[in-house]
Amino acid sequence: MKSFDLIVKNADIVTASERYRGDIGIHNGRISVIAAELDAAQAQQVIDAEGRMVTPGGVDAHCHLDQPSTDGSVGADDFISGTRSAACGGTTTIIPFAMQFKGQSLKQAIADYHQRAEGKASIDYAFHVIITDASQAVIDEIPEVIAQGYTSFKIYMTYDALKLTDHHILNVLEAAREAGAISMIHAENDDCISWLTERLKKQGKTAPRYHALAHSPIGEREATHRAISLAELVDVPILLVHVSSRAAIEQIYWARGQGINIFSETCPQYLFLTAEDLGIDDSFHGAKCICSPPPRDTDSQNAVWNALANGTFTIFSSDHCPFNFDDPRGKKLHGDNASFDLVPNGIAGLETRLPLLMSEGVLQNRISAQRFVDLTATAPAKLYGLYPQKGSIAVGSDADLVIWDTDLDKTITNNDLHTNADHTPYEGKRVQAWPALTLSRGEKVWSEGQYHGRAGSGAFLPCAVPFPVRG
Ligand code: DUC
Ligand code: ZN
Ligand code: ZN
């Protein structure tokens, strides 16, 4: 009887805190031994990493798969295509959103979302819960929902169908505080957006590029400050999702200076796209890059890079939410001349998140390999109560691993990706890195340019609470 199902030999092992050479022994889907040298004869199978970087599989803590909508739009990816795409880009855990419709209980929203994932995911998954209706009955449900393993709640300050008032946000934050849960806040000032949209439309400025003007960084800054203030009032940590602009980052610096415990997330689109990707003329093609908040300018890109490098951002997620471009249920929901405010928001990113950050962050020496691991795997696993099962290379952790090829000259093209989306915002972009192999609980899900995952092999992960219970 052999001790290991698999040994990954000669690995350049990278964790959030260390980098060292070793062999990784895997048994029953978990890492059972890490040593300078393991006996290959003790393994059913050996993979020689040949000194290449081996990182924990990515934890993408912000993606939207098969999420129901209120406007009839249908996202491009479900749990089959979304998890396939994630695995091929080195991500082995995802945390998408179970969205509550107004009037619905949280339990109903969660049950519906389980059905959407059931039998389809090829990598492991947990759920955040979007609260759109914070009635007292819903607030009363929160402790039970948390006890069942849903320990993070998303709150919107904008979007008519989703937004909460500040009063309701305070109620959710208070319930989260008492139970030790985390609230994620989409911070944009809704009235600024609707006021600017009205004015732009009166001037006939309806092309996709005007989305970036309607979603001004000033509105993001104000809402970021307000979200921080609400969290300070309740004395509870929050996570600001998809931070896009220098103005918003400065609010986070301010909060840190005050000793307010704020976590924050940014996404690839704020490093690799600018408002110009929404169009420099009135072409509807710019709709492909409509997402909220929108990509900004090069000054904000630089601020985002600095905040990634200096430890300000806690996590780096995709906010994967693609809509097909040539699709009457996608970007053309209201036709191919629709005003920007009627275009479904969101872009693809699950598969390209890690290769882009490895290429432009680690290989260009903007961030260390350890910081890469923290941002993309360890910190999200800790923040959402999945650590140390996920997010680390350690004895006892799930054998979710990525062996990297970092010597490539690869041009990203949607034809090579595994999403159902009909385009990628990164078409034509060159990267130097891509996973050579992805293991999910010790099983190959991506190797030699082929997907090997199996729909239904991904398991639901109940999350622990990240903070002390204070109720
Ligand atoms: N913005 C969001 O808040 N969610 C999904 C997609 C987007 O662009
Ligand atoms: Zn959001
Ligand atoms: Zn999102």
Side-chain angles (χ1 to χ4, degrees):
M1 170 85 175
K2 309 228 180 197
S3 308
F4 305 109
D5 303 321
L6 173 66
I7 293 177
V8 178
K9 280 201 94 53
N10 304 313
D12 174 10
I13 298 170
V14 188
T15 69
S17 55
E18 276 141 14
R19 185 166 180 175
Y20 59 98
R21 203 178 161 96
D23 292 355
I24 304 168
I26 296 166
H27 183 60
N28 280 344
R30 292 208 174 151
I31 297 171
S32 55
V33 179
I34 303 173
E37 186 151 15
L38 290 173
D39 179 4
Q42 285 301 315
Q44 305 276 1
Q45 202 197 343
V46 174
I47 294 172
D48 189 354
E50 299 164 344
R52 288 189 284 184
M53 258 193 267
V54 177
T55 61
V59 177
D60 195 332
H62 189 153
C63 58
H64 305 262
L65 297 181
D66 198 7
Q67 187 175 306
S69 69
T70 50
D71 64 357
S73 60
V74 178
D77 279 324
D78 63 6
F79 277 82
I80 293 180
S81 59
T83 56
R84 176 179 71 210
S85 182
C88 298
T91 286
T92 50
T93 303
I94 53 163
I95 318 183
F97 296 87
M99 192 192 74
Q100 175 206 26
F101 283 105
K102 287 191 194 300
Q104 200 181 30
S105 71
L106 300 183
K107 272 173 252 153
Q108 283 167 332
I110 291 166
D112 170 62
Y113 209 53
H114 268 290
Q115 276 187 358
R116 291 167 186 269
E118 190 64 43
K120 292 189 177 167
S122 61
I123 57 170
D124 294 346
Y125 56 95
F127 296 157
H128 308 293
V129 181
I130 298 174
I131 299 183
T132 63
D133 180 348
S135 64
Q136 191 54 47
V138 169
I139 298 291
D140 292 343
E141 261 194 290
I142 288 179
E144 196 186 329
V145 161
I146 290 172
Q148 289 169 355
Y150 312 92
T151 61
S152 44
F153 300 95
K154 184 168 181 195
I155 296 166
Y156 286 86
M157 298 173 91
T158 185
Y159 292 126
D160 281 339
L162 308 175
K163 69 183 179 202
L164 298 186
T165 63
D166 290 354
H167 189 102
H168 282 140
I169 294 174
L170 287 165
N171 284 344
V172 175
L173 294 185
E174 183 181 41
R177 178 188 191 275
E178 287 179 8
I182 176 100
S183 303
M184 312 158 72
I185 303 196
H186 179 132
E188 290 187 283
N189 180 309
D190 190 60
D191 281 322
C192 290
I193 295 168
S194 58
W195 187 84
L196 285 166
T197 300
E198 202 174 281
R199 259 144 201 78
L200 287 161
K201 287 175 83 167
K202 268 191 195 141
Q203 295 164 34
K205 295 177 173 171
T206 60
R209 62 180 161 141
Y210 295 109
H211 174 83
L213 296 185
H215 290 247
S216 149
I218 297 170
E220 187 187 10
R221 180 186 68 195
E222 186 283 327
T224 300
H225 186 87
R226 186 156 35 101
I228 290 167
S229 304
L230 300 179
E232 184 185 12
L233 200 65
V234 178
D235 181 26
V236 66
I238 55 166
L239 174 110
L240 292 158
V241 290
H242 46 50
V243 175
S244 71
S245 64
R246 179 182 289 282
I249 291 168
E250 282 169 356
Q251 295 306 308
I252 299 166
Y253 289 143
W254 174 83
R256 292 268 171 91
Q258 301 292 310
I260 305 170
N261 197 5
I262 298 295
F263 299 94
S264 58
E265 169 197 82
T266 194
C267 313
Q269 48 272 37
Y270 308 120
L271 292 174
F272 302 110
L273 302 176
T274 66
E276 289 198 356
D277 289 292
L278 277 72
I280 47 174
D281 58 22
D282 285 352
S283 160
F284 194 70
H285 278 272
K288 291 177 181 171
C289 290
I290 285 189
C291 60
S292 294
R296 306 295 187 183
D297 56 12
T298 50
D299 178 60
S300 277
Q301 284 183 331
N302 290 334
V304 173
W305 274 118
N306 286 339
L308 276 177
N310 69 21
T312 301
F313 285 125
T314 323
I315 64 175
F316 184 75
S317 315
S318 67
D319 196 4
H320 179 89
C321 185
F323 292 92
N324 282 327
F325 180 67
D326 264 318
D327 187 344
R329 299 184 309 171
K331 293 287 182 183
K332 295 183 179 171
L333 182 66
H334 293 277
D336 56 9
N337 238 329
S339 178
F340 65 84
D341 57 312
L342 298 174
V343 175
N345 281 211
I347 61 175
L350 264 170
E351 192 164 349
T352 45
R353 174 184 74 123
L354 297 179
L356 284 169
L357 191 65
M358 178 60 84
S359 297
E360 295 290 331
V362 179
L363 301 182
Q364 296 299 321
N365 294 317
R366 290 183 171 108
I367 60 170
S368 69
Q370 290 93 324
R371 179 88 179 114
F372 169 89
V373 168
D374 197 32
L375 283 162
T376 59
T378 313
K382 286 182 176 169
L383 190 65
Y384 297 117
L386 295 172
Y387 186 86
Q389 182 185 353
K390 301 294 184 187
S392 191
I393 300 179
V395 172
S397 294
D398 283 355
D400 293 354
L401 300 172
V402 177
I403 301 179
W404 283 92
D405 219 332
T406 53
D407 211 8
L408 298 171
D409 181 6
K410 180 180 165 73
T411 302
I412 295 177
T413 177
N414 200 54
N415 282 340
D416 291 345
L417 301 178
H418 300 79
T419 165
N420 274 350
D422 63 2
H423 65 279
T424 167
Y426 307 108
E427 186 73 36
K429 179 151 182 59
R430 285 161 73 177
V431 285
Q432 288 70 53
W434 204 273
L437 179 136
T438 310
L439 293 178
S440 166
R441 282 189 271 113
E443 299 290 329
K444 281 184 202 171
V445 285
W446 164 254
S447 74
E448 285 148 27
Q450 294 295 320
Y451 173 63
H452 305 282
R454 193 169 43 80
S457 63
F460 170 69
L461 303 163
C463 297
V465 286
F467 305 120
V469 178
R470 297 197 275 187

